[in-house]
Amino acid sequence: MNANQNAYPKPVEKYDVLNFLGPNLVTAHGDDWRRQQVVSRGVFNTDGWNFLWGETVRIFEGMMKAKGYNEMKSGEEVKIEHSVSMTLRVALLAIGNAGFGMDMSWNDDQNMPIPAGHTMTFQTALHCVAQSSILRLAIPKVCQVTVREMVTAFDELEKYIQSIIKEKRGALLGENAPGNDEANAELKFEINERQDLFSKLVKASLSGEVPLKDEELQGNIYIYLLAGHETTAHSISYSLALLALWPEKQEEMYRQIMQAMPADGVTTYADYKKFEYVLAVYFETLRIFPPVQQIPKKLSQDTVFTFDKSNEHNTARAAPPATVPEQMTLTVEKDTVVFISPPAVHYNPKYYPDPYDFRPERFVGKFDRTTFIPFSTGTRVCIGRHFSEVESVAFLAYFIKHFSVHPTPAYEGETREEMKKRMLQGTPLITLTPHSIPLTFRRR
Ligand code: HEM
């Protein structure tokens, strides 16, 4: 599949439901997709990574000033019931600030003033929409907001997005602040300098060559929230769970973080590559828990699949039948929808020996990228891949620098094997969702 992308197009009709705030990169195909892709590629760039890194560190620092964390002395502990409650907040703030260009911090709460013309703050709307998008996609009982709140949140977010587009575009075109050229120039400068995805999307769409329609701007900024928020939050949570269950890997990670971290603890995206082991931990997490478990593709022609006998000894399965032929073939008709299965590749011992073991070292130095596919592969590969990597590496590096992470036993005497079984459970909803990861953080 890596070699021949045209033979396996994306069945975009399966994603129609994601169009409700406007057409976007996930749902588009053909020339529409190419146009949106050109704009999007310009948006995900190094200036943005710098900004995202800084924002993620700022979010972590905000958390450290928050109740529960602010006065912790070395050796003191804080327990959380489910690490996702923390990591979802991190991911929401990261996409809110580095994605939407807001200025939200850990301590912002529901008491913030609601702007005129709205019935919810931007943060509440973003939070409800992020939480309830799955419900909106017709999978029941997974959000904690009422249906009325959810509908309001979607309307509100749409209103906010529309007014932000108007404001950013107005500033770029010099339409704001009529009669006040100085203020106008300042606003224009500020928007031009902003490195959040939304500002860059508006700017790129105004550049003329490949304009985006308003509804596409709206659809794309929403899709960043939906595609990038939960996937990353769940993955950071699984990373913390794995580090808690494999303390020797956590110690190695801590050692390497301290080596990479400048003495004053101040880092920028320029330091990203120094945190190679942190990225390796994140990649190994994505190998074990790929958030998207099945990636649909369509066959553009009748296709013969060949299965190699060397796949027979998957340790997850019962012993293979004694008479497996050297090669088996299967002919599948044109237009059939088939699925790329990241878990099937990631758990194949041919590519990853002892696939159930957590070994970040697999991703230190050179590794085979064709068998590492949490972000898919080919032309429709995830455009937000590096966004997720930068956010996760920055957060995990700072978190593990300040805390050691431990499993919270469910009962006295619970063994490591029992904890593994309990903590690493997940359900593949739209993305793989951890059941419950209770953790204890000890201040270093
Ligand atoms: C752990 C984090 C993430 C994982 C595992 C992930 C995984 C994926 C996968 C499997 C696809 C489908 C590709 C295909 O159809 O072949 C995809 C597409 C996409 N992702 Fe991600 N993603 C992540 C984070 C993000 C982030 C942070 C953003 C945006 C800020 C994002 C935006 C997108 C978009 C726009 C597409 C559609 C690309 C296209 O069809 O051209 N993703 N992602």
Side-chain angles (χ1 to χ4, degrees):
M1 279 200 172
N2 289 337
N4 189 358
Q5 299 303 323
N6 290 337
Y8 307 102
K10 177 170 174 173
V12 287
E13 63 282 359
K14 280 193 160 287
Y15 295 87
D16 265 358
V17 69
L18 297 179
N19 275 325
F20 52 80
L21 281 196
N24 56 69
L25 199 61
V26 172
T27 60
H29 65 104
D31 287 344
D32 273 341
W33 175 78
R34 267 183 285 281
R35 185 170 42 80
Q36 294 187 39
Q37 227 261 346
V38 170
V39 177
S40 309
R41 269 209 317 262
V43 163
F44 289 84
N45 65 16
T46 307
D47 292 338
W49 310 138
N50 261 318
F51 184 59
L52 171 63
W53 181 278
E55 284 303 300
T56 309
V57 174
R58 201 164 70 87
I59 291 161
F60 173 78
E61 288 168 350
M63 188 193 94
M64 292 298 280
K65 289 186 194 131
K67 204 165 155 244
Y69 292 95
N70 60 346
E71 281 170 1
M72 284 179 82
K73 298 194 179 62
S74 174
E76 283 184 352
E77 292 182 348
V78 59
K79 289 186 191 306
I80 58 170
E81 273 177 31
H82 189 8
S83 64
V84 165
S85 61
M86 175 182 77
T87 57
L88 267 181
R89 193 153 177 197
V90 172
L92 188 73
L93 291 170
I95 198 75
N97 292 356
F100 283 76
M102 305 311 282
D103 186 18
M104 308 189 298
S105 65
W106 195 268
N107 286 317
D108 289 349
D109 58 21
Q110 308 303 317
N111 300 328
M112 285 179 71
I114 297 172
H118 290 275
T119 57
M120 265 180 193
T121 62
F122 176 80
Q123 187 164 354
T124 309
L126 198 63
H127 181 73
C128 289
V129 167
Q131 268 210 324
S132 55
S133 281
I134 292 180
L135 183 70
R136 177 91 193 219
L137 301 179
I139 298 174
K141 288 191 182 162
V142 285
C143 83
Q144 291 151 22
V145 293
T146 64
V147 172
R148 188 187 298 171
E149 236 184 323
M150 178 188 90
V151 172
T152 310
F154 272 90
D155 289 348
E156 283 289 308
L157 188 67
E158 189 170 0
K159 263 201 298 187
Y160 275 113
I161 290 178
Q162 281 166 356
S163 63
I164 299 172
I165 293 177
K166 210 166 150 210
E167 183 193 316
K168 287 185 194 297
R169 179 176 288 151
L172 284 166
L173 294 175
E175 286 167 359
N176 279 10
N180 184 348
D181 285 349
E182 223 171 274
N184 195 21
E186 221 170 84
L187 188 56
K188 190 172 173 180
F189 175 76
E190 196 201 309
I191 300 277
N192 253 320
E193 291 302 297
R194 285 204 67 99
Q195 296 303 342
D196 63 89
L197 299 178
F198 204 172
S199 294
K200 291 199 288 178
L201 204 56
V202 175
K203 210 177 343 166
S205 78
L206 280 179
S207 69
E209 278 167 39
V210 274
L212 288 189
K213 298 177 203 122
D214 271 13
E215 54 184 37
E216 289 170 339
L217 269 175
Q218 198 170 294
N220 274 292
I221 192 66
Y222 168 69
I223 216 67
Y224 297 162
L225 168 69
L226 185 67
H229 158 251
E230 204 181 73
T231 42
T232 305
H234 290 171
S235 304
I236 301 177
S237 268
Y238 274 127
S239 284
L240 292 174
L242 290 164
L243 290 166
L245 289 162
W246 273 266
E248 67 286 3
K249 302 294 176 192
Q250 187 180 159
E251 269 319 292
E252 180 57 20
M253 177 165 157
Y254 176 64
R255 198 183 61 74
Q256 297 207 21
I257 290 170
M258 295 315 284
Q259 246 175 23
M261 194 64 82
D264 59 4
V266 179
T267 56
T268 66
Y269 175 65
D271 298 301
Y272 171 75
K273 288 222 166 98
K274 294 185 198 153
F275 295 102
E276 188 188 14
Y277 197 80
V278 183
L279 183 61
V281 164
Y282 191 55
F283 278 178
E284 177 68 341
T285 306
L286 292 172
R287 180 191 69 79
I288 299 175
F289 299 108
V292 184
Q293 301 259 299
Q294 292 187 325
I295 307 165
K297 301 285 163 190
K298 203 159 155 175
L299 300 186
S300 65
Q301 57 201 9
D302 290 353
T303 307
V304 180
F305 289 98
T306 306
F307 300 94
D308 190 325
K309 191 181 173 193
S310 63
N311 279 331
E312 80 187 61
H313 55 268
N314 189 333
T315 52
R317 307 254 163 87
T323 55
V324 178
E326 280 306 316
Q327 280 200 329
M328 293 187 292
T329 55
L330 178 68
T331 306
V332 185
E333 273 179 27
K334 177 177 184 258
D335 289 337
T336 304
V337 172
V338 295
F339 293 88
I340 299 179
S341 166
V345 178
H346 292 177
Y347 283 83
N348 188 332
K350 191 166 68 169
Y351 310 128
Y352 298 101
D354 297 322
Y356 293 89
D357 200 19
F358 174 58
R359 289 188 196 164
E361 290 73 17
R362 300 180 207 270
F363 294 101
V364 174
K366 279 209 169 104
F367 62 91
D368 181 0
R369 292 202 170 250
T370 61
T371 58
F372 178 62
I373 54 169
F375 299 99
S376 190
T377 172
T379 42
R380 299 299 291 247
V381 69
C382 174
I383 199 160
R385 170 186 186 141
H386 201 52
F387 191 100
S388 172
E389 292 164 357
V390 172
E391 175 186 335
S392 304
V393 168
F395 183 77
L396 285 168
Y398 276 81
F399 198 85
I400 296 299
K401 177 185 175 211
H402 289 84
F403 296 98
S404 60
V405 181
H406 309 267
T408 311
Y411 49 88
E412 219 182 292
E414 191 183 22
T415 65
R416 179 165 171 264
E417 283 312 305
E418 286 164 339
M419 288 196 271
K420 265 164 73 178
K421 223 170 167 184
R422 173 173 56 82
M423 289 166 62
L424 301 181
Q425 298 271 336
T427 302
L429 298 172
I430 285 188
T431 60
L432 182 66
T433 305
H435 288 178
S436 172
I437 305 181
L439 292 174
T440 303
F441 304 140
R442 189 172 306 139
R443 188 77 165 89
R444 293 191 192 267

